[in-house]
Amino acid sequence: MNNSYHTIKSVNEGLKKGEFSVEEITAEYLGRIKKENPKFNAYLTIFDHKTTNYKRFDRPELTVEGLQTTNLLSGIPCAIKDNILIEGEKCTAASKILENYVAPYDATVVTKLKQAGTVFLGKTNLDEFAMGATGERSAFGPTLNPHDHSRVAGGSSAGSGVAVAADLAIYALGSDTGGSIRAPASWCGVVGLKPTYGLVSRHGLIAMASSLDQIGPITKTVEDAAIVLNTIAGHDQLDSTSISPSRDLSDYTANLNKPIKGLKVAVPNEFFNTGLDNEVNNLIQATIAKLESLGAHIDQVSLPMINYAVATYYIIVPSEISANLARYDGIRYGLSAKRSSLLDVYLDSRAEGLGPEVKRRIMLGTYVLSAGYYDAYYLKAQKVRALIKQDFDRIFEKYDVIVGPTMPTVAPKLGELDDPLAGYLADIYTCPVNLAGLPAISIPCGFAELPTTNYQLPTTKLPVGFQIIAKHFDESKLLQVAYNLEQVLSL
Ligand code: GLN
């Protein structure tokens, strides 16, 4: 079996024809993970199908006959980011404070995937509590990029990105607060979809910044992303920010191969300012030309408020983090320092259990929310957030999609973005989308060739992601454009 064979679609077909069984394909993936994972550190927990929920391979829906009619995800092995709860399994959020925490219930997305009959292979590495753009801020070591092991995979859903890119899972779930699905997708050369805020339930996702967090798929193809979204999208009464139960959900695979002739595409000037690598820019321009050759109308536009997105994001996100992470006090969850006074339990559990980036954001958030600074920082940031959303709304009155790069560079070397500010700037094209609650996808659009210092070694080829952003709840259009492009890019 070659890599391209291992899509949801192709494995489903193989299962239905009886070419292999669910148990066989699961065993194949678990074997590969055990062998390959030490190279990448993509999985934090690897499940054993003999002892976990996969022992039920004889369920009627997983037999050749049953698979003819069940969900396309039936029997498909997948990876889950380790900030999404699976009942009875560890869920660490890649933090020492939750190192031995066992989830007491299933996240709603997990319930839905279980109902669909998918197979979970394990839990994937991330920046601690999903705070980071590289995957290096995990308490359990960085995840390495399969295209070049001296480079980062992209965060925070680093393990999910690598699991899919290195074929250690057929698909994976990640979460995206400011780019965490799209960054690893871009740097690892796979597809990453961040749905409209509210479309996918956040119940059972360990909260980072609740007004921006959103779960979504990382896959090998656009069609696979649509298939996963079909299963995980929908109203959930356990999530107060979930979409209304009356909202009609599309079949996201239905329009994929409809042509995009006449599509109106906006290209914001602000996406092409200093900071964007030349190599990346060339591939993005070539991809925009492909869109044009498919019959799309391309216009340059301006989204001036986007220039304030990173600053706004890094006020609002730490504020929400400081509130959400107050619950890790050494009493309610996970690590608890044994001290004689309650205050010392709080202080020392947090001091020992939380990493430097998490502490930095808690302090920043607590500061900007304090009585004296709330108006100057938090309230101001909320107002700018509203203006950023208005900027997008204005463009979407005339255009179907906005396109540009996902990340300003190719995957950096390990340690290159150690400076927190440098890391924050990597979110420049992704975080405005979360502030506005919009859906966006990153698809691979080519490889940048980097010369190596040693002339005897071949050049390093690193993947580049192309970002497409659509109106709220217009995932159908988003996926249609992405699919059409994917066919002509034929990477
Ligand atoms: N890099 C961003 C941050 O550090 C995004 C993280 C995310 O989307 N979870 O906040």
Side-chain angles (χ1 to χ4, degrees):
M1 294 177 195
N2 64 30
N3 191 11
S4 60
Y5 189 76
H6 282 172
T7 61
I8 295 170
K9 204 53 195 302
S10 60
V11 172
N12 175 265
E13 273 155 24
L15 288 169
K16 283 203 290 209
K17 286 190 202 138
E19 288 169 8
F20 43 83
S21 69
V22 175
E23 190 162 9
E24 279 163 0
I25 185 104
T26 303
E28 182 189 322
Y29 271 88
L30 286 171
R32 201 169 22 234
I33 294 167
K34 285 198 186 109
K35 204 166 125 234
E36 303 279 317
N37 193 52
K39 284 193 217 158
F40 306 114
N41 200 22
Y43 283 86
L44 293 177
T45 305
I46 302 165
F47 295 156
D48 175 351
H49 70 283
K50 298 254 174 359
T51 57
T52 61
N53 43 353
Y54 321 119
K55 58 189 174 212
R56 295 167 298 145
F57 284 118
D58 55 351
R59 282 177 307 189
E61 68 270 30
L62 297 189
T63 60
V64 175
E65 299 74 48
L67 282 158
Q68 309 303 322
T69 50
T70 44
N71 186 297
L72 280 171
L73 295 181
S74 279
I76 307 288
C78 77
I80 303 288
K81 185 176 182 179
D82 206 21
N83 60 352
I84 299 172
L85 272 48
I86 303 183
E87 186 185 339
E89 303 291 351
K90 280 211 296 186
C91 193
T92 69
S95 180
K96 281 244 173 294
I97 210 157
L98 292 180
E99 191 168 5
N100 296 309
Y101 173 71
V102 174
Y105 60 90
D106 281 331
T108 297
V109 288
V110 168
T111 305
K112 289 185 172 203
L113 291 179
K114 280 186 176 172
Q115 280 161 359
T118 212
V119 173
F120 301 116
L121 296 164
K123 304 293 295 292
T124 53
N125 204 359
L126 62 149
D127 291 292
E128 186 175 357
F129 284 104
M131 300 177 202
T134 64
E136 292 167 288
R137 301 204 192 279
S138 161
F140 308 117
T143 301
L144 306 184
N145 194 307
H147 297 271
D148 175 350
H149 294 194
S150 68
R151 291 175 187 271
V152 305
S156 63
S157 312
S160 288
V162 172
V164 175
D167 200 22
L168 303 181
I170 291 171
Y171 74 98
L173 288 190
S175 67
D176 192 312
T177 306
S180 280
I181 289 176
R182 289 160 287 158
S186 177
W187 285 346
C188 292
V190 290
V191 174
L193 170 66
K194 181 252 167 225
T196 305
Y197 184 75
L199 184 63
V200 176
S201 167
R202 289 183 297 111
H203 174 70
L205 167 68
I206 294 181
M208 174 183 165
S210 312
S211 77
L212 300 100
D213 298 342
Q214 190 60 192
I215 294 174
I218 296 184
T219 55
K220 293 172 189 163
T221 63
V222 174
E223 182 179 33
D224 277 3
I227 291 170
V228 179
L229 189 63
N230 272 349
T231 296
I232 62 173
H235 168 73
D236 180 12
Q237 59 179 13
L238 298 172
D239 173 0
S240 62
T241 56
S242 167
I243 52 165
S244 137
S246 60
R247 179 172 281 282
D248 227 2
L249 291 183
S250 344
D251 169 0
Y252 296 106
T253 60
N255 292 334
L256 291 179
N257 48 27
K258 294 213 175 115
I260 54 166
K261 195 164 183 323
L263 183 87
K264 295 207 179 73
V265 178
V267 182
N269 298 326
E270 291 75 8
F271 276 16
F272 297 87
N273 285 342
T274 46
L276 178 63
D277 262 10
N278 256 340
E279 284 269 349
V280 174
N281 188 18
N282 292 343
L283 285 162
I284 300 301
Q285 299 301 344
T287 310
I288 294 173
K290 293 243 152 116
L291 269 178
E292 203 163 15
S293 69
L294 288 169
H297 296 296
I298 317 283
D299 278 335
Q300 305 279 335
V301 300
S302 180
L303 279 166
M305 291 310 291
I306 280 209
N307 293 328
Y308 304 100
V310 171
T312 306
Y313 177 90
Y314 281 97
I315 295 293
I316 291 174
V317 166
S319 304
E320 295 191 23
I321 286 170
S322 84
N324 273 331
L325 272 71
R327 72 190 71 177
Y328 305 107
D329 55 6
I331 303 292
R332 279 173 277 204
Y333 303 90
L335 184 137
S336 181
K338 302 280 168 283
R339 301 289 181 272
S340 48
S341 89
L342 182 61
L343 184 63
D344 284 343
V345 174
Y346 290 161
L347 295 177
D348 290 350
S349 301
R350 286 167 78 79
E352 286 168 25
L354 301 174
E357 180 61 24
V358 176
K359 286 178 184 154
R360 182 177 300 119
R361 294 192 191 200
I362 290 173
M363 283 192 281
L364 186 62
T366 310
Y367 176 81
V368 301
L369 287 177
S370 61
Y373 294 103
Y374 180 93
D375 286 359
Y377 294 115
Y378 183 74
L379 202 61
K380 188 68 141 285
Q382 289 294 11
K383 288 179 182 164
V384 180
R385 180 180 188 173
L387 294 175
I388 291 170
K389 183 173 171 298
Q390 279 174 25
D391 247 11
F392 277 113
D393 290 346
R394 183 174 49 77
I395 299 296
F396 283 129
E397 278 170 16
K398 290 212 202 114
Y399 295 92
D400 298 305
V401 290
I402 296 173
V403 302
T406 306
M407 302 303 284
T409 62
V410 290
K413 292 260 186 200
L414 285 158
E416 214 177 296
L417 295 186
D418 266 356
D419 170 21
L421 275 183
Y424 299 168
L425 283 170
D427 303 333
I428 189 153
Y429 307 131
T430 49
C431 77
V433 169
N434 300 68
L435 288 167
L438 296 164
I441 194 167
S442 178
I443 60 165
C445 69
F447 290 87
E449 293 206 19
L450 300 188
T452 49
T453 37
N454 181 344
Y455 71 94
Q456 287 175 315
L457 292 174
T459 51
T460 318
K461 285 173 104 190
L462 294 170
V464 170
F466 185 75
Q467 183 173 219
I468 311 166
I469 307 166
K471 290 178 203 153
H472 293 107
F473 301 110
D474 209 2
E475 273 80 357
S476 262
K477 177 63 64 50
L478 185 71
L479 289 157
Q480 180 194 349
V481 178
Y483 183 86
N484 273 266
L485 257 184
E486 185 186 45
Q487 307 314 304
V488 291
L489 287 164
S490 59
L491 293 172

